[in-house]
Amino acid sequence: MSAADKKLEDSAEAQEAIGLHNLRPAPGSRRPRKRVGRGHGSGHGKTSGRGHKGYGSRSGAKDRARFEGGQMPIHMRMRKLRGPHMKKSMPFEPFRTHTQAVNLRDLEDRFDAGAEVTVAALAAAGIAKRKGIPVKILAKGELSKSLTVHAHAFSGAARAAIEAAGGSCVTDEA
C-alpha cells in the first residue's frame, strides 16, 4: 500500500468518525455558569456580585438596552432632523453623504500632462485610498497640465480649471 493510499484511507476513516454523537464545541468556547449565593469562599457570596442597595441589586431589575450608566445616551447626544412632526424626527448622522476630496494641486504634483486620471490611478498615487467612498475633485491649487480626469463629482471651479488647462472631466457613477 502506497503512502497516498494510506492517506486517503485515514481521511475516509476521519470523515466517518464525525457524527452527531461526537460533535463538541471548540475548547474554551463554553464556560460554566456563574453559581452565585454559595458562600464567601466562592467569591460570589452575600450580595452575589450585585453590590449594596440600588436599582441593580433588586430582583427584576433590568438594564435598558440604551442605558449607559447615567452618561447621556448616544441617541440623545446625536443631532436630530427636526421638522413639523417631532414623531418623524430621526438621528441626523446616518443620512450624511461622504466623499473623498482631491484637490487640483494634488493632480498637478502627481500626474504628467496628457495622463488619464482614474479613481484607481488616484489610489495608486496615494491620494484617494478609501475604497467604496466617492471621489470629488475640488479647486484648491493651480492646474497647468491637460488631464482627462474621471471622478464621481467635480466642484464648479475645479471643472472650469481643468477645462481651462485643456483637459476634460468625466463623471463616473458612484
Side-chain angles (χ1 to χ4, degrees):
M1 183 185 294
S2 70
D5 293 337
K6 186 168 182 166
K7 193 173 190 179
L8 275 174
E9 191 176 307
D10 289 343
S11 67
E13 286 176 11
Q15 286 177 350
E16 289 172 18
I18 296 174
L20 291 176
H21 65 284
N22 61 1
L23 290 178
R24 283 180 180 42
S29 67
R30 307 283 294 183
R31 300 191 58 177
R33 71 181 182 87
K34 183 194 288 190
R35 298 180 70 229
V36 297
R38 296 296 189 275
H40 291 299
S42 69
H44 301 287
K46 194 177 175 248
T47 54
S48 300
R50 290 170 177 251
H52 293 274
K53 300 184 184 176
Y55 178 68
S57 71
R58 313 293 189 213
S59 67
K62 289 187 177 72
D63 199 13
R64 283 197 329 271
R66 26 183 216 285
F67 185 68
E68 297 186 25
Q71 171 178 298
M72 185 63 69
I74 192 157
H75 71 279
M76 294 174 76
R77 292 195 304 262
M78 288 177 78
R79 294 176 292 166
K80 306 293 189 289
L81 284 176
R82 299 298 190 190
H85 301 289
M86 296 298 287
K87 201 185 302 184
K88 294 179 185 173
S89 297
M90 298 179 71
F92 187 84
E93 298 299 333
F95 302 100
R96 174 174 285 179
T97 57
H98 294 278
T99 56
Q100 299 182 70
V102 175
N103 288 302
L104 292 178
R105 68 170 169 231
D106 299 327
L107 301 180
E108 179 75 26
D109 294 342
R110 291 185 172 84
F111 293 98
D112 297 326
E116 185 95 6
V117 181
T118 62
V119 176
L122 289 169
I127 305 172
K129 293 188 280 190
R130 297 186 297 171
K131 290 181 183 170
I133 298 177
V135 174
K136 184 171 185 176
I137 307 296
L138 303 178
K140 191 176 268 187
E142 299 289 322
L143 186 67
S144 60
K145 302 171 185 171
S146 167
L147 299 173
T148 303
V149 184
H150 295 262
H152 300 104
F154 296 86
S155 70
R159 185 180 292 274
I162 292 169
E163 290 169 355
S168 63
C169 301
V170 181
T171 305
D172 296 341
E173 291 297 318

